[in-house]
Amino acid sequence: VAVELGAGWGPWLVVAAVAAARCGIRDVRLVGVEGSAAHCGFMRQHFRDNGLDPDAHRLLHGVAAAEDGTVEFPVEPDPAADYGATVAAEDPLLQRVRGATAAVRAYSLPTLLAPFDRVDLVHIDIQGSEADVVLAGRAVLREKVRRVVIGTHGRAIEQALLAELSAQGWLLEADQACRYGPYGAGLALAVDGCQVWRNPRV
């Protein structure tokens, strides 16, 4: 079982399915959550291009959030070039897509992981909302998930995740801080960070 939040075209899901097949694992269940309708279309095509039936898995147009509900998500003017849209609170160092929005469903981790007793991988790349989602879903992550890979979008987010997940007993396997660079007259996030955590209880 692999789950990708902020899935884009679903690269982690397809890689998980291909890796599983190479190991002789045929029972593969994939969940992708993506806020851009255009990117959801890219994900479905990516599945078909790699011999996967998108209708056999849960590919959801929506966003990962601390709570279930509905949120406004930016509509990218050029979906093929822009993968940075977000519903996260304003951060002056995080570039944002501005303009039109569309209402999309918000899914919490307890809702997304409810169908599964165990989840092998959760990949999270949600443009500044990662600490909110992880902290709100800490209990279900601890109970069910073997490994989490988190793309980070701010030093405060990284610190919150390091403090919370280590306190929960997760083991940090890799940690790369995000990087900032010049942007106009100031600074902006230039390279996402990444944290990889393993759950020794699952």
Side-chain angles (χ1 to χ4, degrees):
V1 178
V3 177
E4 188 170 9
L5 309 179
W9 70 94
W12 285 77
L13 298 179
V14 171
V15 165
V18 171
R22 290 182 178 178
C23 294
I25 300 169
R26 301 300 173 193
D27 182 12
V28 174
R29 287 166 286 174
L30 307 173
V31 179
V33 182
E34 170 54 45
S36 163
H39 294 167
C40 284
F42 297 166
M43 178 162 48
R44 294 181 65 83
Q45 185 61 52
H46 189 208
F47 270 53
R48 288 190 290 266
D49 289 346
N50 286 276
L52 297 169
D53 178 3
D55 294 325
H57 304 277
R58 294 186 71 206
L59 306 184
L60 305 172
H61 179 211
V63 299
E67 298 179 348
D68 298 324
T70 303
V71 299
E72 291 291 320
F73 191 82
V75 177
E76 312 92 330
D78 184 2
D82 191 346
Y83 286 83
T86 179
V87 297
E90 191 66 29
D91 178 344
L93 299 182
L94 189 60
Q95 298 176 46
R96 307 282 179 175
V97 174
R98 307 291 183 181
T101 63
V104 300
R105 184 169 173 185
Y107 297 90
S108 68
L109 281 171
T111 294
L112 291 169
L113 304 186
F116 310 109
D117 294 328
R118 291 289 181 268
V119 177
D120 296 287
L121 172 69
V122 174
H123 179 269
I124 303 172
D125 188 354
I126 49 177
Q127 304 300 315
S129 297
E130 45 272 20
D132 293 340
V133 170
V134 168
L135 271 58
R138 59 170 69 89
V140 71
L141 288 171
R142 189 172 188 269
E143 176 187 352
K144 294 186 176 185
V145 178
R146 290 191 168 100
R147 187 169 271 105
V148 179
V149 178
I150 307 171
T152 58
H153 299 81
R155 299 283 171 81
I157 291 168
E158 291 170 347
Q159 182 60 36
L161 293 171
L162 289 167
E164 176 62 30
L165 292 177
S166 62
Q168 290 283 321
W170 289 76
L171 302 178
L172 183 64
E173 294 186 322
D175 177 29
Q176 179 175 305
C178 61
R179 299 204 307 269
Y180 294 89
Y183 183 72
L187 291 175
L189 184 72
V191 180
D192 295 356
C194 184
Q195 294 180 6
V196 181
W197 296 87
R198 180 171 62 84
N199 185 354
R201 292 168 300 277
V202 177

